[in-house]
């Protein structure tokens, strides 16, 4: 792909990544709009140029529809809209937006329509857009809905819009509230010189059935250009953002890159069931205009963005754990980025595009792995299992000194990659999980290796061949065959004798 920012990156049903449009920047102003589209195949690690759409796009929306096609609409360069067919690799014109709008949000609804909210008018006076639009896929047309109610901000950009539940295949879930779209934060441009008003705390739900808006509990902190990520349990993590100042460089009246006042590290979580917010700690760095993605392990990866009012870009990345409610730094991207994209593919998160600085310099794509068991790793969150053990992704924490996960020859035992197994060599006795030492005698079955039992002499043995019972003395018991030698029967008698002695000893202890 070309080195651009403010493009779109959409995962196709085939697993490939579609990248469309974008812009280059010089001294805080847009100075180029490559007319291009490309497709990334992570299996081959190859980018393939595609036929370009009819128009150039930047700061547009791109939405994968339920039939697999991608709707690309609006942006900095006009009101046009097109559909990409990933099978035929072709573009088809569709109904344009009623006005040229950039930096809007587009959300695929469970009924297949697309909700288009807010943004900035990209031609004429750059005021914040107040239109709420619905795209009908079957008709190929946009419908303009009534404005948001007076108890909510009429228009906003730098906001987020999140579908509460996109599990369209869950037949048991008939809760229509899950179809709602959660819109929160953002700011407005209501005056001249592209100055941005203070951001809002407000949050609202859009009901696609009634096509109505309902105000919900606002955030604790007003913010714009944050991220909103739906967690595995249905709650929404809102992180970072801050107080933008102007849509362009200081002293300029031309639309460009956002300049900043304050940038936040704070995060909070919205629970749509209880309509409440919970503080979710602070990221390790303040960041706005960053990107976030939900990993397969239920944690959230955030990366890049701007750090402060100076516009300093970030290469850093961190992980939010919604169980522990903690933020942990992870490996950095190879270069600072904002105006970039993050997309979760089968083998990890791919970061594409983005602006390094106001110098027109951009950087090639890179991947944060979400690797299967057995893959080399450095951090837990590089693995789908979240366990990096012995330098490989492991199927469990594998934390005992008796266990190992890496494929190796240890005590003459070859292990499969990524499988946590006992490598102590203590068999038939168990390995002490605290110090890794082997047992030398047993009193219970727990002191024997897996597949062994403790006999009356304190030795771990394999269960009797025809054993059908393991009693609470840890002995294997079975009746001998009529033509079998007497030794198994004698073993049973010995086991029963040992069990009676243990029971008698327990009674004496209780009496004392």
């Amino acid at each position: 792909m070309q080195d651009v920012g403010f493009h779109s990156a959409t995962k196709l049903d085939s697993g490939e990544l579609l990248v469309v449009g974008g812009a280059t920047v010089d001294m805080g102003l847009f100075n180029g709009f490559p007319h291009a589209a490309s497709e990334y195949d992570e299996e081959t690690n190859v980018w393939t140029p595609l036929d370009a759409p009819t128009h150039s796009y930047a700061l547009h929306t791109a939405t994968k529809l339920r039939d697999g096609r991608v709707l690309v609409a609006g942006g900095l360069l006009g009101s046009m809209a097109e559909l990409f067919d990933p099978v035929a690799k072709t573009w088809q014109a569709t109904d344009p937006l009623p006005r040229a709008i950039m930096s809007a949000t587009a959300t695929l609804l469970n009924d297949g329509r697309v909700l288009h909210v807010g943004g900035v008018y990209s031609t004429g006076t750059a005021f914040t857009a107040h239109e709420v639009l619905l795209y009908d896929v079957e008709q190929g047309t946009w419908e303009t809905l009534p404005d948001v109610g007076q108890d909510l901000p009429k228009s906003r950009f730098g906001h987020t819009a999140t579908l509460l539940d996109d599990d369209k295949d869950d037949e048991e879930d008939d809760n229509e509230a899950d179809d709602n779209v959660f819109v929160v934060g953002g700011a407005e441009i209501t005056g001249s010189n592209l100055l941005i008003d203070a951001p809002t705390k407000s949050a609202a739900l859009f009901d696609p059935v009634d096509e109505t808006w309902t105000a919900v509990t606002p955030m604790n902190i007003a913010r714009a250009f944050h991220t909103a990520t739906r967690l595995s349990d249905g709650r929404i993590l809102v992180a970072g953002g801050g107080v933008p100042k102007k849509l362009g460089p200081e002293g300029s009246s031309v639309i460009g890159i956002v300049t900043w006042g304050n940038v936040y590290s704070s995060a909070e979580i919205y629970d749509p069931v209880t309509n409440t917010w919970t503080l979710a700690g602070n990221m390790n760095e303040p960041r706005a205009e960053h990107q976030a993605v939900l990993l397969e392990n239920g944690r959230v990866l955030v990366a890049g963005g701007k750090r402060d009012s100076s516009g300093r870009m970030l290469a850093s990345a961190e992980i939010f754990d919604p169980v522990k409610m903690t933020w942990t730094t992870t490996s950095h991207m190879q270069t600072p980025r904002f105006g970039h994209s993050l997309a979760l593919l089968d083998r990890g998160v791919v970061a594409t595009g983005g602006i390094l600085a106001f110098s027109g310099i951009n950087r090639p794509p890179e991947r944060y792995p979400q690797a299967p068991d057995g893959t080399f790793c450095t951090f837990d969150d590089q693995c789908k299992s979240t366990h990096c053990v012995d330098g490989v992704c492991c199927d469990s924490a594998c934390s005992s000194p008796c266990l190992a996960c890496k494929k190796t020859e240890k005590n003459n035992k070859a292990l499969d990659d990524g499988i946590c197994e006992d490598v102590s060599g203590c068999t038939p006795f168990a390995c002490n999980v605290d110090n890794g030492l082997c047992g030398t005698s047993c009193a219970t079955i727990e002191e024997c290796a897996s597949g062994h039992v403790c006999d009356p002499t304190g030795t771990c043995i394999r269960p009797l061949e025809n054993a059908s019972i393991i009693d609470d003395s840890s002995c294997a018991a079975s009746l001998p065959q009529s033509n079998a030698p007497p030794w198994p029967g004698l073993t049973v008698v010995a086991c029963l004798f040992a069990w009676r002695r243990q029971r008698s000893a327990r009674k004496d202890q209780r009496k004392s």
Side-chain angles (χ1 to χ4, degrees):
M1 63 168 289
Q2 292 181 294
D3 292 338
V4 293
F6 309 103
H7 54 288
S8 62
T10 310
K11 182 181 179 181
L12 304 175
D13 286 343
S14 63
E16 295 172 316
L17 186 67
L18 171 70
V19 173
V20 177
T24 57
V25 174
D26 187 25
M27 299 306 294
L29 294 173
F30 297 106
N31 71 342
F33 304 97
H35 185 200
S38 56
E39 199 172 60
Y40 174 66
D41 184 340
E42 68 171 349
E43 291 287 338
T44 60
N45 194 31
V46 171
W47 287 91
T48 303
L50 301 172
D51 288 343
T54 303
H55 304 280
S56 295
Y57 294 91
L59 291 169
H60 53 286
T61 63
T63 312
K64 184 170 74 68
L65 306 178
R66 296 187 69 175
D67 62 9
R69 293 179 299 166
V70 178
L71 171 66
V72 176
L76 180 61
L77 304 174
S79 61
M80 58 280 180
E82 299 180 61
L83 291 164
F84 176 73
D85 184 331
V87 177
K89 312 292 186 188
T90 57
W91 293 90
Q92 177 187 358
T94 189
D95 192 29
L97 299 173
R99 293 190 63 173
I101 300 174
M102 68 179 192
S103 301
T105 57
T107 309
L108 179 67
L109 304 177
N110 283 334
D111 61 15
R113 295 179 297 171
V114 177
L115 176 69
H116 189 281
V117 176
V120 175
Y121 297 128
S122 54
T123 58
T125 304
F127 289 156
T128 319
H130 63 82
E131 280 86 357
V132 176
L133 308 171
L134 276 174
Y135 181 76
D136 187 313
V137 177
E138 293 184 1
Q139 301 297 322
T141 57
W142 293 93
E143 174 190 3
T144 302
L145 301 182
D147 289 345
V148 176
Q150 293 184 355
D151 58 339
L152 298 168
K154 186 176 181 181
S155 54
R156 62 179 91 196
F157 84 117
H159 59 290
T160 54
T162 310
L163 187 64
L164 291 186
D165 185 4
D166 66 354
D167 189 0
K168 299 175 284 295
D169 299 323
D170 187 358
E171 297 179 357
E172 297 180 359
D173 186 2
D174 57 358
N175 184 4
E176 291 186 351
D178 289 343
D179 295 337
N180 291 349
V181 177
F182 177 67
V183 176
V184 65
E188 291 187 79
I189 300 175
T190 57
S192 59
N193 298 321
L194 304 177
L195 295 176
I196 301 174
D197 297 346
T200 180
K201 295 180 180 179
S202 74
L205 291 176
F206 174 76
D207 183 343
V209 177
D210 299 330
E211 297 183 357
T212 56
W213 291 89
T214 303
V216 296
T217 304
M219 291 184 290
N220 292 285
I221 300 175
R223 64 182 86 217
F225 294 95
H226 51 281
T227 55
T229 309
R230 188 182 69 247
L231 303 175
S232 300
D233 61 8
R235 297 178 299 158
I236 310 295
L237 170 69
V238 173
V243 182
K245 293 171 56 179
K246 191 173 185 294
L247 189 58
E250 295 291 341
S252 171
S253 60
V254 180
I255 290 178
I257 304 300
V258 173
T259 53
W260 281 92
N262 294 330
V263 175
Y264 302 146
S265 62
S266 65
E268 46 191 309
I269 292 177
Y270 177 71
D271 187 333
V273 176
T274 61
N275 188 28
T276 57
W277 289 90
T278 302
L279 296 179
N282 293 325
M283 293 182 289
N284 292 278
E285 290 193 85
R287 62 182 79 227
E289 297 185 84
H290 54 291
Q291 296 291 320
V293 65
L294 180 69
L295 303 177
E296 290 188 5
N297 56 38
R299 300 178 187 180
V300 179
L301 170 70
V302 301
K306 293 182 184 175
R307 178 182 171 84
D308 49 38
S309 59
S310 69
R312 182 157 63 95
M313 289 73 178
L314 295 169
S316 64
E318 45 193 302
I319 300 285
F320 176 72
D321 186 329
V323 177
K324 299 178 180 179
M325 297 286 279
T326 56
W327 292 91
T328 306
T329 56
T330 187
S331 56
H332 287 200
M333 295 185 291
Q334 296 178 20
T335 186
R337 300 173 189 261
F338 83 101
H340 58 298
S341 62
L342 294 183
L344 178 62
L345 303 182
D346 292 339
R347 297 187 178 184
V349 178
V350 175
T352 56
I355 308 301
L356 171 63
F358 292 160
S359 61
I361 301 174
N362 302 278
R363 285 297 180 265
E366 53 186 302
R367 182 170 61 196
Y368 182 85
Q370 282 286 275
D373 293 345
T375 306
F376 290 112
C377 60
T378 305
F379 297 93
D380 286 345
D381 282 292
Q382 292 175 325
C383 305
K384 289 184 178 181
S385 66
T386 71
H387 303 298
C388 182
V389 182
D390 301 324
V392 296
C393 294
C394 191
D395 63 344
S396 68
C398 206
S399 56
S400 166
C402 304
L403 307 173
C405 205
K406 188 174 182 180
K407 187 172 184 179
T408 184
E409 291 286 333
K410 188 172 183 180
N411 294 326
N412 298 318
K413 181 176 177 62
L415 297 183
D416 292 330
D417 271 329
I419 306 300
C420 182
E421 294 190 30
D422 187 344
V423 293
S424 64
C426 293
T427 304
F429 295 101
C431 176
N432 187 306
V433 296
D434 295 322
N435 56 30
L437 298 178
C438 298
T440 56
S441 62
C442 64
T444 66
I445 194 171
E446 286 77 15
E447 294 173 297
C448 296
S450 176
H452 292 73
V453 295
C454 185
D455 76 0
T457 67
T459 301
C460 293
I461 61 172
R462 290 284 185 182
L464 300 179
E465 183 177 351
N466 297 317
S468 58
I469 302 171
I470 296 179
D471 63 26
D472 67 355
S473 70
S474 304
C475 289
S478 69
L479 294 176
Q481 301 294 328
S482 59
N483 59 349
W487 309 120
L490 293 176
T491 302
V492 172
V493 173
C495 287
L496 292 174
F497 178 72
W499 173 73
R500 286 171 180 163
R501 283 204 310 171
Q502 290 177 3
R503 187 173 65 173
S504 176
R506 287 196 295 266
K507 287 182 179 180
D508 291 341
Q509 289 177 355
R510 285 197 293 268
K511 288 178 180 180
S512 62

